[in-house]
Amino acid sequence: MRLIILGPPGSGKGTVAKKLARDFELHHLSAGRLLRELIEKDTQVGMRIKKYLDKGELVPENFVAEMMKLEILDEDKYILDGFPRSIDQAEEISEVPIEMVIYLGVPDDEVIKRLLLRGRKDDTKEVIQERLDIYHKETTKVITLYKEMGILKIINGAPPEDVVYADVKEAVEKKFKV
Ligand code: AP5
Ligand code: MG
């Protein structure tokens, strides 16, 4: 099972991916979390990466692509969370036989509410807006690409967590006949 989960910031990618990883024995590979782990290591690289996350900007895209490619090397049971976020990144993994891309659709005003409530370091009004702008400008193109490839599954991410997850789980079970 090679899955991707995409959606705007705060759409519930991490929440859903964690449950899928538990139920289908997948590696949950969140690009944002891996980058935050690098920052915690307090190295020169970490300090440089931090500047991008603090502003809500994309970390240099091929760095993240190489990092994710190393994570999935020789693996065939995983869910990529928040990657790819640009056409360039999608091209970097064009050889990878991704079977399903889950897209969580949630309106901007709802994700802003959720993120302000969560309060991670990059969950300030200004930084959320930057993350949303990049999402609309870059990541929506990736969603269109996977739609054209016929592997996109659109899920309404606006209802409560349990409802969203039940829909996602049903779609995965149907796709993989499990
Ligand atoms: P990343 O960590 O991926 O942040 P994001 O995409 O902005 O998304 P979040 O993690 O904030 O939200 P989520 O969709 O996972 O939602 P969650 O489940 O947490 O990326 C951070 C940064 O890293 C980027 O800005 C960039 O700098 C860099 N980066 C990452 N990927 C990169 C890449 N590919 N290339 C370059 N740079 C990259 O839920 C959010 C909140 O809502 C939680 O409190 C949760 O409890 C709640 N919630 C979840 N579901 C529901 C629901 N159904 N109803 C109500 N509340 C809900
Ligand atoms: Mg997340």
Side-chain angles (χ1 to χ4, degrees):
M1 243 184 227
R2 296 178 181 86
L3 306 181
I4 291 177
I5 187 158
L6 296 176
S11 55
K13 301 184 291 294
T15 304
V16 167
K18 198 174 154 196
K19 293 179 184 173
L20 285 175
R22 177 196 65 195
D23 292 347
F24 297 95
E25 290 172 21
L26 306 173
H27 288 280
H28 173 199
L29 298 166
S30 156
R33 193 192 63 222
L34 288 165
L35 293 167
R36 283 186 289 278
E37 283 170 6
L38 284 178
I39 293 173
E40 277 165 26
K41 295 214 166 82
D42 210 19
T43 58
Q44 180 89 304
V45 172
M47 272 156 57
R48 296 209 167 127
I49 291 173
K50 183 175 183 297
K51 292 196 177 139
Y52 294 95
L53 273 87
D54 284 351
K55 286 192 255 174
E57 291 171 1
L58 291 183
V59 172
E61 291 169 57
N62 46 4
F63 174 85
V64 182
E66 292 305 324
M67 176 182 81
M68 297 303 276
K69 281 201 281 190
L70 286 173
E71 289 284 345
I72 59 178
L73 204 68
D74 300 328
E75 298 272 351
D76 60 4
K77 281 172 78 70
Y78 52 77
I79 178 155
L80 305 181
D81 160 2
F83 176 86
R85 282 187 205 235
S86 66
I87 290 290
D88 281 355
Q89 286 186 347
E91 279 169 4
E92 289 275 353
I93 57 156
S94 58
E95 304 292 306
V96 179
I98 298 296
E99 292 148 292
M100 184 181 193
V101 179
I102 297 158
Y103 163 60
L104 296 178
V106 182
D108 286 9
D109 55 348
E110 169 67 16
V111 300
I112 292 168
K113 262 195 263 167
R114 288 183 191 178
L115 293 177
L116 289 175
L117 208 68
R118 181 180 66 181
R120 200 169 73 193
K121 195 162 175 294
D122 55 345
D123 291 338
T124 61
K125 242 181 172 167
E126 204 182 24
V127 178
I128 294 168
Q129 195 52 57
E130 177 66 17
R131 284 153 65 199
L132 268 172
D133 288 348
I134 292 176
Y135 167 77
H136 288 298
K137 193 159 162 266
E138 302 292 340
T139 313
T140 48
K141 292 183 203 159
V142 179
I143 290 158
T144 306
L145 173 78
Y146 288 131
K147 190 175 183 186
E148 285 165 3
M149 285 167 65
I151 56 171
L152 188 76
K153 179 67 192 173
I154 300 171
I155 301 280
N156 179 7
E161 262 182 59
D162 290 357
V163 176
V164 174
Y165 185 63
D167 286 352
V168 171
K169 192 169 183 235
E170 192 188 337
V172 172
E173 285 168 344
K174 197 170 162 202
K175 167 90 185 178
F176 294 93
K177 302 185 174 61
V178 288

